[in-house]
């Protein structure tokens, strides 16, 4: 791990410190899997919807920690620059193929920052008539209170810009098995 830290310099940005090691992430996700498994039953038709791209590793590890029948889908939402944050508009570039109607849906997000993404996506998915809709976020910076707080949060994260384990800086660093600050 330390040699990756040394070598991962891109765009003049250098990793500062490892915030969550691979082992710490793994252990926390196993715990979250147990909690989620206890919260639903086998007849709930559980559907995990991962928000791409950032959640791709988290979803992959989380579903393997859940001991229930479930299905997996993803969605891609267009993200607007900070300048357009208040446009109130969220565009889905890829919409889940699976119907959400009468299913127990968990929206899986990598990190909650301003909360804008979740505040817009939750009502949009809610309108599709799931029997329940919960949010599961690996990281939460606790900068804001969301309209609907995630029921499951992996870690209360530092306010730093974080990369690795799915999180990117200009599309780089997503593959790192740990989470580091830039
Ligand atoms: P929000 O809508 O401001 O809550 O931000 C949500 C999205 O911004 C996340 O899904 C991430 O893709 C991205 N993001 C926010 N904070 C970070 C960070 O510290 N590192 C990498 N991506 C981030
Ligand atoms: Mg991102």
């Amino acid at each position: 791990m330390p040699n990756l830290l040394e070598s991962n310099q891109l765009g003049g940005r250098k990793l500062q410190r490892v915030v969550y090691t691979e082992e710490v992430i793994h252990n926390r996700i196993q715990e979250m899997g147990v909690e989620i498994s206890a919260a639903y039953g086998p007849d709930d038709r559980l559907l995990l919807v991962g928000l791409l791209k950032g959640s791709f590793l988290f979803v992959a590890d989380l579903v393997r920690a859940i001991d229930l029948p479930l299905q997996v889908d993803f969605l891609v939402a267009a993200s607007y620059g900070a300048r357009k944050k208040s446009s109130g508009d969220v565009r889905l570039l890829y919409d889940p193929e699976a119907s959400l109607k009468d299913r127990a849906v968990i929206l899986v997000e990598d990190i909650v920052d301003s909360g804008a993404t979740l505040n817009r996506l939750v009502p949009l998915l809610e309108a599709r008539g799931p029997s329940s809709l919960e949010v599961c976020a690996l990281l939460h910076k606790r900068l804001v209170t969301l309209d609907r707080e995630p029921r499951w949060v992996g870690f209360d994260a530092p306010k730093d810009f974080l990369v690795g384990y799915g999180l990117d800086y200009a599309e780089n660093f997503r593959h790192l098995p740990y989470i580091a600050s830039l």
Side-chain angles (χ1 to χ4, degrees):
M1 183 195 319
N3 49 349
L4 264 176
L5 260 183
E6 291 298 321
S7 63
N8 271 301
Q9 291 184 59
L10 281 160
R13 303 295 296 265
K14 191 175 181 188
L15 302 185
Q16 296 299 319
R17 99 190 144 89
V18 175
V19 182
Y20 304 105
T21 65
E22 189 171 2
E23 188 190 3
V24 163
I25 295 168
H26 174 83
N27 291 341
R28 181 67 188 117
I29 292 176
Q30 299 314 301
E31 290 175 357
M32 296 173 87
V34 170
E35 288 169 25
I36 290 172
S37 303
Y40 296 91
D43 300 326
D44 284 332
R45 303 177 67 226
L46 190 58
L47 173 68
L48 270 77
V49 178
L51 189 43
L52 290 178
K53 299 174 196 171
S55 74
F56 80 112
L57 291 177
F58 181 37
V59 168
D61 287 337
L62 184 64
V63 292
R64 284 180 284 181
I66 298 176
D67 186 21
L68 280 175
L70 62 79
Q71 294 183 354
V72 182
D73 211 329
F74 291 95
L75 63 78
V76 184
S79 56
Y80 295 90
R83 204 168 44 88
K84 292 184 178 171
K85 251 183 189 167
S86 59
S87 70
D89 206 13
V90 65
R91 219 156 33 99
L92 292 185
L93 301 183
Y94 170 76
D95 205 339
E97 274 174 26
S99 165
L100 273 51
K101 182 97 184 103
D102 298 326
R103 310 195 57 170
V105 176
I106 303 179
L107 179 59
V108 183
E109 168 72 307
D110 53 355
I111 185 165
V112 183
D113 187 52
S114 75
T117 307
L118 285 177
N119 281 343
R120 285 168 201 169
L121 281 177
V122 165
L124 201 139
L125 297 182
E126 196 73 83
R128 297 180 183 188
S131 52
S132 64
L133 176 63
E134 301 288 353
V135 176
C136 176
L138 180 63
L139 303 163
H140 196 327
K141 290 187 182 172
R142 304 287 179 196
L143 299 171
V144 289
T145 303
L146 301 182
D147 299 340
R148 172 165 333 182
E149 279 300 320
R151 179 161 172 192
W152 295 284
V153 173
F155 304 99
D156 284 355
K159 319 300 179 218
D160 317 1
F161 194 81
L162 303 174
V163 294
Y165 196 73
L167 298 166
D168 73 303
Y169 170 66
E171 294 302 325
N172 294 308
F173 304 113
R174 288 194 199 276
H175 66 296
L176 300 179
Y178 52 84
I179 294 169
S181 61
L182 258 198

